[in-house]
Amino acid sequence: MAGPRGCLFAPEDVGALLSHAGGRWKLWRESEAAIEVAHNDASESYSAACWIPPGKGGHILVLGCSSGRIQAWDPNAGELLGKPAEAFRVVAQGADCAVTGLAAPGPSRGTVFAACNGTPEILEVGLLDGTTRGSFRAGKAGICRLA
């Protein structure tokens, strides 16, 4: 399987482990050690992930893609929430636009911060509408992680 691979534990109240490789992600339940939700997308390769704490609804799973896009998912239903954000696909044209880091500012904002190796900018992206709400320059080189 080509592309980035990774895993990320969900918050304790979700009780799951997310694994992703290439264009496939799986949500494994801790208690049963079984796949509860899975998704496969041949047109994307997932490169970063983070969890958004529950606001009005439940937790949101956010995935960054090698194409520079950002997707928000309902982890219980395995459904995409809103329109995927074009994010770095538009900003870093012709460069390495893969999303390398995602960080949640908090549940009430409805956004996620995203980083990319191809540009020193950090974007704040709306989860449901996919719009870039803001950006700032974090230095002179691309960014590999956000905390």
Side-chain angles (χ1 to χ4, degrees):
M1 202 175 284
R5 298 171 185 242
C7 62
L8 177 67
F9 281 101
E12 190 173 341
D13 54 327
V14 175
L17 171 73
L18 168 76
S19 65
H20 62 87
R24 178 178 296 166
W25 63 265
K26 298 176 183 176
L27 191 61
W28 301 78
R29 282 290 164 208
E30 266 179 40
S31 56
E32 295 89 25
I35 298 171
E36 182 164 312
V37 180
H39 176 75
N40 191 15
D41 185 347
S43 66
E44 285 291 3
S45 180
Y46 299 110
S47 56
C50 83
W51 290 92
I52 305 290
K56 294 178 182 175
H59 287 84
I60 296 174
L61 170 61
V62 182
L63 296 170
C65 304
S66 294
S67 66
R69 290 186 178 114
I70 297 170
Q71 301 175 349
W73 291 86
D74 175 342
N76 296 319
E79 294 178 359
L80 196 58
L81 301 172
K83 177 183 170 186
E86 291 297 313
F88 291 109
R89 184 181 176 118
V90 175
V91 173
Q93 293 175 345
D96 177 10
C97 63
V99 177
T100 55
L102 294 166
S108 61
R109 289 180 67 110
T111 62
V112 67
F113 289 106
C116 166
N117 269 338
T119 178
E121 288 188 64
I122 293 176
L123 303 181
E124 184 177 12
V125 177
L127 294 173
L128 299 181
D129 61 8
T131 60
T132 298
R133 306 268 174 87
S135 68
F136 61 92
R137 196 170 194 80
K140 294 182 181 181
I143 300 155
C144 64
R145 293 207 176 162
L146 292 175

